[in-house]
């Protein structure tokens, strides 16, 4: 039989086509949702090629530091690079390097792993970069598939996926050996795990306590993993406010602590160093714990604001969109928009973005807001669900923005 024509169908209705095009383990929807992750992988390869070798100019930072620390882990030594602390990057780098070296040994190689990695660092860094890029693309595909599975909306899934391209730093991140690509993958997984909790709240219903308790454990474990990847993931702790029960919040906290300790195992003997480094940043006005004592320089914060506005205009445009929707809801002030679950969700997501923004105003680097960029991509997917599948009119669109 001939397949039906796609042209007359609106985008959100494409989920009805799964019956006519199937491959083993695949469907039309999965193929469509694989396009954007594949495009991101191609962009990653292009950017890595344009950037040049890691030994060129400033490209060595921080890639070579992570390679050396990965080799230290393989030698059962304490990695020296532990400022923020980045241990998960080093562990993944060690695993990728070990896999490459094992293949080389099977093909007849005779070098010890440390000698192989340090004599051909560009090759081993390329292997680590590919590993991180594949993790990001896999997380992006999973996020889109979960959106589609939970909502039946292909438009929502694509909106969440394509929003990653709204921010320069999320694209650049995939072309480097640094914490940022792993932060993108972790934040995507983190937000995806929360979807079964968030989507019922958007729909006006409360998730079951058992479901909430289960999600809290996975979310907490991913939060701990993200913090050990880089301290810029700490603001994601704000999502603890989404959970309605104290038991779920406690599980989130304990799971996060346990996950963080396990991921930081290689630096247990120097676990105090990242803490001292973070304390220095929080209590000094300069970069990396230097400068005058103090929390924040107002003049520097305004300068950082301008830099972020120029570098990531999409961040401000999307937040302005969210504020417009919130304003519509506040002005109409209908009781159904003020359920406890919805208030907690608004507070949690807003607090996460604000804390991420505040950290960048104090200590500016555009990539410090990468976790919030990823969260906003998932928010956009939720907007599509609420607007196209639930709402009509200005008031409902305002509710959807919230």
């Amino acid at each position: 039989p001939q397949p039906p024509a796609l042209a007359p169908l609106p985008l959100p209705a494409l989920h009805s086509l799964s019956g006519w095009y199937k491959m083993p383990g695949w469907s039309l929807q999965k193929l469509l949702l694989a396009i954007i992750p594949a495009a991101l992988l191609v962009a990653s390869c292009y950017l890595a090629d344009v950037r040049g070798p890691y030994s060129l100019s400033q490209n060595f930072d921080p890639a070579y530091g992570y390679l050396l620390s990965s080799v230290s882990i393989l030698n059962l030594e304490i990695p020296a690079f532990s400022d923020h602390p980045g241990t998960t990057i080093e562990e993944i780098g060690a695993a990728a390097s070990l896999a490459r070296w094992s293949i080389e040994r099977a093909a007849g190689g005779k070098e010890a792993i440390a000698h192989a990695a340090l004599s051909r660092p560009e090759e081993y860094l390329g292997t680590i970069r590919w590993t991180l890029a594949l993790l990001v693309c896999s997380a992006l595909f999973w996020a889109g598939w979960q959106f589609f599975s939970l909502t039946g909306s292909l438009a929502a899934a694509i909106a969440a996926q394509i929003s990653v391209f709204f921010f320069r730093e999320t694209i650049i991140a995939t072309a480097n050996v640094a914490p940022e690509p792993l932060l993108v993958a972790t934040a995507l997984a983190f937000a995806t795990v929360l979807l079964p909790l968030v989507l019922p709240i958007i729909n006006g219903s409360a998730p079951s306590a058992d479901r909430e308790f289960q999600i809290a454990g996975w979310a907490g474990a991913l939060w701990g993993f993200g913090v050990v990847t880089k301290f810029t993931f700490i603001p994601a702790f704000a999502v603890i406010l989404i959970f309605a029960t104290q038991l779920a919040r406690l599980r989130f906290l304990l799971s996060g602590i346990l996950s963080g300790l396990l991921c930081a195992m290689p630096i247990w003997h120097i676990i105090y160093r990242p803490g001292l480094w973070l304390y220095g940043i929080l209590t000094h006005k300069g970069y990396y714990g230097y400068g005058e004592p103090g929390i924040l320089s107002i003049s520097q914060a305004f300068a950082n604001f301008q830099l972020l506005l120029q570098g990531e205009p999409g961040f401000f445009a999307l937040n302005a969109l969210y504020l417009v929707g919130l304003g519509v809801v506040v002005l109409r002030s209908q009781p159904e928009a003020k359920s406890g679950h919805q208030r907690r969700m608004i507070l949690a997501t807003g607090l996460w973005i604000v804390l991420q923004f505040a950290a960048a105003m104090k200590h500016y680097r555009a990539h410090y807001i990468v976790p919030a960029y990823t969260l906003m991509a998932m928010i956009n997917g939720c907007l599509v669900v609420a607007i196209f599948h639930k709402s009509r009119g200005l008031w409902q669109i305002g509710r959807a923005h919230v």
Side-chain angles (χ1 to χ4, degrees):
Q2 292 296 318
L6 296 180
L9 292 174
L11 186 58
L14 284 176
H15 67 272
S16 63
L17 300 177
S18 59
W20 68 269
Y21 183 88
K22 286 191 176 181
M23 296 171 57
W26 283 85
S27 64
L28 173 65
Q29 292 79 19
K30 286 185 179 179
L31 290 174
L32 291 174
L33 292 174
I35 293 174
I36 295 175
L40 184 60
L41 187 61
V42 171
S44 168
C45 296
Y46 173 75
L47 290 173
D49 183 64
V50 169
R51 185 202 59 234
Y54 291 98
S55 57
L56 179 65
S57 186
Q58 298 299 311
N59 289 351
F60 74 92
D61 182 23
Y64 269 85
Y66 285 116
L67 177 63
L68 294 172
S69 294
S70 296
V71 172
S72 295
I73 290 176
L74 291 172
N75 287 337
L76 302 181
E77 299 171 353
I78 299 174
F81 196 41
S82 59
D83 286 349
H84 47 64
T87 314
T88 53
I89 299 289
E90 297 160 357
E91 291 165 336
I92 290 174
S97 299
L98 181 61
R100 181 188 179 96
W101 176 79
S102 299
I103 294 172
E104 291 175 350
R105 292 282 288 188
K110 302 297 183 182
E111 291 177 300
I113 188 168
H115 186 275
L118 299 182
S119 62
R120 291 176 282 117
E122 293 292 327
E123 295 179 16
Y124 275 79
L125 283 169
T127 300
I128 297 172
R129 184 193 69 78
W130 267 101
T131 302
L132 294 173
L134 288 172
L135 284 174
V136 173
C137 295
S138 298
L140 187 60
F141 173 79
W142 183 52
W145 182 246
Q146 280 295 98
F147 250 114
F148 174 74
S149 299
L150 293 170
T151 66
S153 171
L154 192 61
I158 292 175
Q161 287 185 330
I162 205 167
S163 294
V164 172
F165 285 89
F166 291 174
F167 309 103
R168 183 183 63 179
E169 290 299 326
T170 54
I171 304 173
I172 293 175
T174 60
N176 200 9
V177 176
E180 278 63 42
L182 191 55
L183 283 178
V184 173
T186 305
L188 282 169
F190 184 70
T192 303
V193 163
L194 290 169
L195 278 180
L197 181 66
V198 170
L199 290 173
I201 295 175
I202 292 176
N203 203 38
S205 60
S208 67
D210 291 342
R211 186 65 169 152
E212 184 179 89
F213 184 74
Q214 180 185 14
I215 291 172
W218 287 107
L222 285 168
W223 177 75
F225 181 91
V227 170
V228 177
T229 300
K230 196 167 187 176
F231 284 143
T232 51
F233 205 76
I234 290 176
F237 185 78
V239 303
I240 196 173
L241 299 175
I242 295 178
F243 301 108
T245 65
Q246 294 295 335
L247 194 58
R249 294 177 185 177
L250 180 62
R251 189 180 194 201
F252 176 90
L253 178 61
L254 294 178
S255 298
I257 293 172
L258 179 60
S259 172
L261 288 174
L262 290 175
C263 291
M265 189 181 298
I267 60 167
W268 276 359
H269 292 291
I270 56 170
I271 196 71
Y272 62 91
R273 289 186 188 174
L276 292 176
W277 185 79
L278 180 61
Y279 176 78
I281 289 178
L282 294 175
T283 56
H284 291 79
K285 295 182 179 180
Y287 280 91
Y288 307 116
Y290 294 98
E292 300 177 2
I295 302 298
L296 180 67
S297 169
I298 300 301
S299 60
Q300 187 62 50
F302 276 109
N304 292 342
F305 176 84
Q306 292 176 343
L307 288 172
L308 183 61
L309 181 60
Q310 294 170 4
E312 292 288 4
F315 176 80
F316 294 94
L318 283 174
N319 276 293
L321 177 69
Y322 303 154
L323 287 174
V324 168
L326 181 60
V328 171
V329 170
V330 171
L331 289 175
R332 294 296 298 264
S333 63
Q334 294 191 13
E336 64 175 296
K338 298 183 177 180
S339 72
H341 283 88
Q342 289 174 339
R343 280 198 303 268
R344 285 193 300 273
M345 186 175 67
I346 294 170
L347 180 61
T349 53
L351 184 60
W352 182 353
I353 294 173
V354 167
L355 289 175
Q356 209 90 54
F357 175 75
M361 292 305 94
K362 172 179 171 57
H363 196 92
Y364 176 74
R365 291 289 186 273
H367 57 264
Y368 289 172
I369 318 182
V370 159
Y373 298 153
T374 310
L375 168 70
M376 292 164 71
M378 303 300 281
I379 290 175
N380 293 340
C382 293
L383 288 182
V384 173
V385 172
I387 293 173
F388 288 99
H389 292 267
K390 182 178 176 5
S391 313
R392 293 293 183 272
L394 180 63
W395 155 245
Q396 287 80 6
I397 291 177
R399 280 189 59 200
H401 285 142
V402 172

